[in-house]
PDB file of all heavy atoms in Angstrom:
ATOM      1  N   ALA V 172       6.077 -15.063 -46.249  1.00  0.00           N
ATOM      2  CA  ALA V 172       6.978 -13.995 -46.695  1.00  0.00           C
ATOM      3  C   ALA V 172       7.088 -12.869 -45.672  1.00  0.00           C
ATOM      4  O   ALA V 172       8.133 -12.218 -45.571  1.00  0.00           O
ATOM      5  CB  ALA V 172       6.504 -13.449 -48.042  1.00  0.00           C
ATOM      6  N   ASP V 173       6.021 -12.642 -44.917  1.00  0.00           N
ATOM      7  CA  ASP V 173       6.041 -11.538 -43.952  1.00  0.00           C
ATOM      8  C   ASP V 173       6.492 -11.973 -42.557  1.00  0.00           C
ATOM      9  O   ASP V 173       6.432 -11.185 -41.610  1.00  0.00           O
ATOM     10  CB  ASP V 173       4.658 -10.881 -43.869  1.00  0.00           C
ATOM     11  CG  ASP V 173       3.580 -11.856 -43.397  1.00  0.00           C
ATOM     12  OD1 ASP V 173       3.849 -13.086 -43.364  1.00  0.00           O
ATOM     13  OD2 ASP V 173       2.462 -11.397 -43.082  1.00  0.00           O
ATOM     14  N   GLU V 174       6.953 -13.211 -42.419  1.00  0.00           N
ATOM     15  CA  GLU V 174       7.399 -13.698 -41.112  1.00  0.00           C
ATOM     16  C   GLU V 174       8.759 -13.091 -40.764  1.00  0.00           C
ATOM     17  O   GLU V 174       9.661 -13.031 -41.604  1.00  0.00           O
ATOM     18  CB  GLU V 174       7.508 -15.229 -41.118  1.00  0.00           C
ATOM     19  CG  GLU V 174       7.942 -15.856 -39.802  1.00  0.00           C
ATOM     20  CD  GLU V 174       6.865 -15.807 -38.737  1.00  0.00           C
ATOM     21  OE1 GLU V 174       6.632 -14.689 -38.202  1.00  0.00           O
ATOM     22  OE2 GLU V 174       6.265 -16.856 -38.446  1.00  0.00           O
ATOM     23  N   SER V 175       8.907 -12.662 -39.532  1.00  0.00           N
ATOM     24  CA  SER V 175      10.175 -12.079 -39.072  1.00  0.00           C
ATOM     25  C   SER V 175      11.083 -13.175 -38.518  1.00  0.00           C
ATOM     26  O   SER V 175      10.644 -14.304 -38.259  1.00  0.00           O
ATOM     27  CB  SER V 175       9.906 -11.047 -37.975  1.00  0.00           C
ATOM     28  OG  SER V 175       9.350 -11.686 -36.829  1.00  0.00           O
ATOM     29  N   ILE V 176      12.345 -12.838 -38.340  1.00  0.00           N
ATOM     30  CA  ILE V 176      13.275 -13.789 -37.721  1.00  0.00           C
ATOM     31  C   ILE V 176      12.812 -14.123 -36.307  1.00  0.00           C
ATOM     32  O   ILE V 176      12.877 -15.278 -35.879  1.00  0.00           O
ATOM     33  CB  ILE V 176      14.705 -13.209 -37.703  1.00  0.00           C
ATOM     34  CG1 ILE V 176      15.265 -13.144 -39.130  1.00  0.00           C
ATOM     35  CG2 ILE V 176      15.624 -14.061 -36.813  1.00  0.00           C
ATOM     36  CD1 ILE V 176      16.641 -12.538 -39.229  1.00  0.00           C
ATOM     37  N   GLU V 177      12.317 -13.110 -35.611  1.00  0.00           N
ATOM     38  CA  GLU V 177      11.802 -13.344 -34.260  1.00  0.00           C
ATOM     39  C   GLU V 177      10.612 -14.301 -34.291  1.00  0.00           C
ATOM     40  O   GLU V 177      10.467 -15.170 -33.413  1.00  0.00           O
ATOM     41  CB  GLU V 177      11.391 -12.031 -33.605  1.00  0.00           C
ATOM     42  CG  GLU V 177      12.547 -11.117 -33.225  1.00  0.00           C
ATOM     43  CD  GLU V 177      13.182 -10.399 -34.418  1.00  0.00           C
ATOM     44  OE1 GLU V 177      12.585 -10.432 -35.527  1.00  0.00           O
ATOM     45  OE2 GLU V 177      14.261  -9.807 -34.246  1.00  0.00           O
ATOM     46  N   GLY V 178       9.757 -14.158 -35.322  1.00  0.00           N
ATOM     47  CA  GLY V 178       8.609 -15.044 -35.462  1.00  0.00           C
ATOM     48  C   GLY V 178       9.038 -16.484 -35.695  1.00  0.00           C
ATOM     49  O   GLY V 178       8.454 -17.426 -35.126  1.00  0.00           O
ATOM     50  N   ILE V 179      10.049 -16.684 -36.541  1.00  0.00           N
ATOM     51  CA  ILE V 179      10.581 -18.028 -36.782  1.00  0.00           C
ATOM     52  C   ILE V 179      11.169 -18.592 -35.492  1.00  0.00           C
ATOM     53  O   ILE V 179      10.986 -19.769 -35.161  1.00  0.00           O
ATOM     54  CB  ILE V 179      11.649 -17.987 -37.896  1.00  0.00           C
ATOM     55  CG1 ILE V 179      10.998 -17.639 -39.234  1.00  0.00           C
ATOM     56  CG2 ILE V 179      12.390 -19.309 -37.988  1.00  0.00           C
ATOM     57  CD1 ILE V 179      11.983 -17.382 -40.354  1.00  0.00           C
ATOM     58  N   ALA V 180      11.856 -17.734 -34.755  1.00  0.00           N
ATOM     59  CA  ALA V 180      12.463 -18.179 -33.497  1.00  0.00           C
ATOM     60  C   ALA V 180      11.411 -18.670 -32.511  1.00  0.00           C
ATOM     61  O   ALA V 180      11.615 -19.675 -31.811  1.00  0.00           O
ATOM     62  CB  ALA V 180      13.272 -17.034 -32.879  1.00  0.00           C
ATOM     63  N   VAL V 181      10.266 -17.987 -32.461  1.00  0.00           N
ATOM     64  CA  VAL V 181       9.208 -18.409 -31.542  1.00  0.00           C
ATOM     65  C   VAL V 181       8.601 -19.735 -31.991  1.00  0.00           C
ATOM     66  O   VAL V 181       8.212 -20.566 -31.164  1.00  0.00           O
ATOM     67  CB  VAL V 181       8.127 -17.310 -31.411  1.00  0.00           C
ATOM     68  CG1 VAL V 181       6.976 -17.794 -30.547  1.00  0.00           C
ATOM     69  CG2 VAL V 181       8.731 -16.053 -30.793  1.00  0.00           C
ATOM     70  N   ARG V 182       8.526 -19.971 -33.312  1.00  0.00           N
ATOM     71  CA  ARG V 182       8.062 -21.278 -33.792  1.00  0.00           C
ATOM     72  C   ARG V 182       8.992 -22.382 -33.286  1.00  0.00           C
ATOM     73  O   ARG V 182       8.545 -23.476 -32.927  1.00  0.00           O
ATOM     74  CB  ARG V 182       8.030 -21.315 -35.323  1.00  0.00           C
ATOM     75  CG  ARG V 182       7.226 -20.212 -35.973  1.00  0.00           C
ATOM     76  CD  ARG V 182       5.747 -20.328 -35.708  1.00  0.00           C
ATOM     77  NE  ARG V 182       5.046 -19.151 -36.205  1.00  0.00           N
ATOM     78  CZ  ARG V 182       3.772 -19.157 -36.547  1.00  0.00           C
ATOM     79  NH1 ARG V 182       3.046 -20.245 -36.439  1.00  0.00           N
ATOM     80  NH2 ARG V 182       3.193 -18.047 -36.974  1.00  0.00           N
ATOM     81  N   LEU V 183      10.271 -22.098 -33.267  1.00  0.00           N
ATOM     82  CA  LEU V 183      11.238 -23.083 -32.787  1.00  0.00           C
ATOM     83  C   LEU V 183      11.147 -23.251 -31.272  1.00  0.00           C
ATOM     84  O   LEU V 183      11.398 -24.340 -30.743  1.00  0.00           O
ATOM     85  CB  LEU V 183      12.649 -22.680 -33.215  1.00  0.00           C
ATOM     86  CG  LEU V 183      12.863 -22.735 -34.732  1.00  0.00           C
ATOM     87  CD1 LEU V 183      14.147 -22.013 -35.128  1.00  0.00           C
ATOM     88  CD2 LEU V 183      12.893 -24.178 -35.221  1.00  0.00           C
ATOM     89  N   LEU V 184      10.756 -22.196 -30.572  1.00  0.00           N
ATOM     90  CA  LEU V 184      10.445 -22.329 -29.149  1.00  0.00           C
ATOM     91  C   LEU V 184       9.264 -23.274 -28.957  1.00  0.00           C
ATOM     92  O   LEU V 184       9.262 -24.125 -28.056  1.00  0.00           O
ATOM     93  CB  LEU V 184      10.103 -20.970 -28.535  1.00  0.00           C
ATOM     94  CG  LEU V 184      11.220 -20.014 -28.157  1.00  0.00           C
ATOM     95  CD1 LEU V 184      10.623 -18.797 -27.457  1.00  0.00           C
ATOM     96  CD2 LEU V 184      12.242 -20.684 -27.270  1.00  0.00           C
ATOM     97  N   ASN V 185       8.249 -23.114 -29.792  1.00  0.00           N
ATOM     98  CA  ASN V 185       7.058 -23.960 -29.730  1.00  0.00           C
ATOM     99  C   ASN V 185       7.442 -25.432 -29.899  1.00  0.00           C
ATOM    100  O   ASN V 185       7.005 -26.299 -29.133  1.00  0.00           O
ATOM    101  CB  ASN V 185       6.077 -23.522 -30.823  1.00  0.00           C
ATOM    102  CG  ASN V 185       4.740 -24.217 -30.737  1.00  0.00           C
ATOM    103  OD1 ASN V 185       4.665 -25.426 -30.600  1.00  0.00           O
ATOM    104  ND2 ASN V 185       3.668 -23.445 -30.853  1.00  0.00           N
ATOM    105  N   ILE V 186       8.269 -25.719 -30.915  1.00  0.00           N
ATOM    106  CA  ILE V 186       8.698 -27.092 -31.172  1.00  0.00           C
ATOM    107  C   ILE V 186       9.530 -27.618 -30.010  1.00  0.00           C
ATOM    108  O   ILE V 186       9.383 -28.772 -29.578  1.00  0.00           O
ATOM    109  CB  ILE V 186       9.482 -27.161 -32.499  1.00  0.00           C
ATOM    110  CG1 ILE V 186       8.525 -26.902 -33.674  1.00  0.00           C
ATOM    111  CG2 ILE V 186      10.187 -28.501 -32.655  1.00  0.00           C
ATOM    112  CD1 ILE V 186       9.217 -26.745 -35.010  1.00  0.00           C
ATOM    113  N   ASN V 187      10.410 -26.788 -29.470  1.00  0.00           N
ATOM    114  CA  ASN V 187      11.216 -27.193 -28.319  1.00  0.00           C
ATOM    115  C   ASN V 187      10.337 -27.505 -27.117  1.00  0.00           C
ATOM    116  O   ASN V 187      10.578 -28.485 -26.404  1.00  0.00           O
ATOM    117  CB  ASN V 187      12.211 -26.095 -27.961  1.00  0.00           C
ATOM    118  CG  ASN V 187      13.594 -26.371 -28.501  1.00  0.00           C
ATOM    119  OD1 ASN V 187      14.329 -27.187 -27.956  1.00  0.00           O
ATOM    120  ND2 ASN V 187      13.944 -25.704 -29.591  1.00  0.00           N
ATOM    121  N   PHE V 188       9.331 -26.677 -26.899  1.00  0.00           N
ATOM    122  CA  PHE V 188       8.435 -26.915 -25.767  1.00  0.00           C
ATOM    123  C   PHE V 188       7.789 -28.291 -25.886  1.00  0.00           C
ATOM    124  O   PHE V 188       7.802 -29.088 -24.942  1.00  0.00           O
ATOM    125  CB  PHE V 188       7.350 -25.841 -25.690  1.00  0.00           C
ATOM    126  CG  PHE V 188       6.247 -26.190 -24.728  1.00  0.00           C
ATOM    127  CD1 PHE V 188       6.453 -26.086 -23.362  1.00  0.00           C
ATOM    128  CD2 PHE V 188       5.017 -26.651 -25.186  1.00  0.00           C
ATOM    129  CE1 PHE V 188       5.446 -26.430 -22.461  1.00  0.00           C
ATOM    130  CE2 PHE V 188       4.010 -26.996 -24.295  1.00  0.00           C
ATOM    131  CZ  PHE V 188       4.231 -26.887 -22.938  1.00  0.00           C
ATOM    132  N   GLY V 189       7.216 -28.584 -27.058  1.00  0.00           N
ATOM    133  CA  GLY V 189       6.559 -29.875 -27.252  1.00  0.00           C
ATOM    134  C   GLY V 189       7.518 -31.031 -27.096  1.00  0.00           C
ATOM    135  O   GLY V 189       7.193 -32.061 -26.484  1.00  0.00           O
ATOM    136  N   SER V 190       8.718 -30.886 -27.626  1.00  0.00           N
ATOM    137  CA  SER V 190       9.711 -31.958 -27.570  1.00  0.00           C
ATOM    138  C   SER V 190      10.192 -32.209 -26.145  1.00  0.00           C
ATOM    139  O   SER V 190      10.187 -33.349 -25.670  1.00  0.00           O
ATOM    140  CB  SER V 190      10.903 -31.599 -28.470  1.00  0.00           C
ATOM    141  OG  SER V 190      11.944 -32.523 -28.320  1.00  0.00           O
ATOM    142  N   ILE V 191      10.586 -31.156 -25.465  1.00  0.00           N
ATOM    143  CA  ILE V 191      11.186 -31.310 -24.143  1.00  0.00           C
ATOM    144  C   ILE V 191      10.150 -31.713 -23.104  1.00  0.00           C
ATOM    145  O   ILE V 191      10.345 -32.662 -22.334  1.00  0.00           O
ATOM    146  CB  ILE V 191      11.895 -30.011 -23.722  1.00  0.00           C
ATOM    147  CG1 ILE V 191      13.045 -29.698 -24.678  1.00  0.00           C
ATOM    148  CG2 ILE V 191      12.402 -30.106 -22.282  1.00  0.00           C
ATOM    149  CD1 ILE V 191      13.623 -28.307 -24.512  1.00  0.00           C
ATOM    150  N   HIS V 192       9.029 -31.019 -23.072  1.00  0.00           N
ATOM    151  CA  HIS V 192       8.020 -31.233 -22.039  1.00  0.00           C
ATOM    152  C   HIS V 192       7.474 -32.661 -22.075  1.00  0.00           C
ATOM    153  O   HIS V 192       7.451 -33.368 -21.067  1.00  0.00           O
ATOM    154  CB  HIS V 192       6.887 -30.217 -22.209  1.00  0.00           C
ATOM    155  CG  HIS V 192       5.762 -30.397 -21.247  1.00  0.00           C
ATOM    156  ND1 HIS V 192       5.876 -30.070 -19.907  1.00  0.00           N
ATOM    157  CD2 HIS V 192       4.500 -30.876 -21.408  1.00  0.00           C
ATOM    158  CE1 HIS V 192       4.738 -30.336 -19.297  1.00  0.00           C
ATOM    159  NE2 HIS V 192       3.886 -30.819 -20.179  1.00  0.00           N
TER     160      HIS V 192
END
Side-chain angles (χ1 to χ4, degrees):
D173 61 348
E174 181 72 286
S175 65
I176 291 178
E177 289 75 12
I179 293 172
V181 175
R182 305 292 173 155
L183 294 166
L184 281 185
N185 187 312
I186 291 172
N187 261 283
F188 168 76
S190 173
I191 297 168
H192 177 73

